[in-house]
Amino acid sequence: MENRLTCHMMGKPPHKQAHDSSACKSDEANGRSQMAQHMVLLGEEFSACSALLSALGNENRQAIFLDLLRNWGGLRTYEIAEHVGLSKPTVSHHLSIMKKAGIVSVEHIGTVRIYHPNENTKPWKTLSQLAWKAYRFVEEEASKETCQRMLTFGKERNIDGPDASN
C-alpha cells in the first residue's frame, strides 16, 4: 500500500485539503481498481487467518486460552475444566479445535496430556500483519470518502478549487 490514494498524503496540512479538489479527482480515477486489488489481497490473508480467528471466536475457547496463558507450564484437561467451569469432554473438544488452529500444543508424558499455548509465533505474526493492513486500508478508504465529500460539497456550492472566488 505504498501508493497512497488519499488527499492527506499530498503533503499539505489538513486545513488546506478542502481547497485541493483536483487531487481528489485524480485519486478517484485510479482508486477503484486499486481498492479492488487491496480487497482481494486482504480477503486472501483473512482466509489464511480464518482458523485462528474461528478458534478464538468462541468465549469458552478464549477462557481456555487465557487459562493456558496464565499457567504457562501447561495444564491437564481436568485442570482447565475446573478453572473455566466446563466439563472435561467440552474442554477436550475446544482444545482439539485450538490445536488444529495451531494456537495450542500438547505434550504427552506417558498417558498424561499437558496443554500449552503453542510457542510458534507465525500465526500471531500473520494475524497482527493482517490487522495492521486492514487498519491501513480502512484508514485510507475513510480519507478517500472525505475527498469525495469535499468534491460533492464543492459541486453543490459551485466551488472549483483554491482559485475560486467566494
Side-chain angles (χ1 to χ4, degrees), residues 10 97 133:
M10 302 296 296
I97 292 169
K133 289 175 184 177

Side-chain angles (χ1 to χ4, degrees), residues 8-26:
H8 69 87
M9 299 306 291
M10 302 296 296
K12 295 181 170 80
H15 66 278
K16 291 188 180 182
Q17 288 177 2
H19 299 296
D20 197 354
S21 62
S22 62
C24 291
K25 288 177 187 174
S26 65

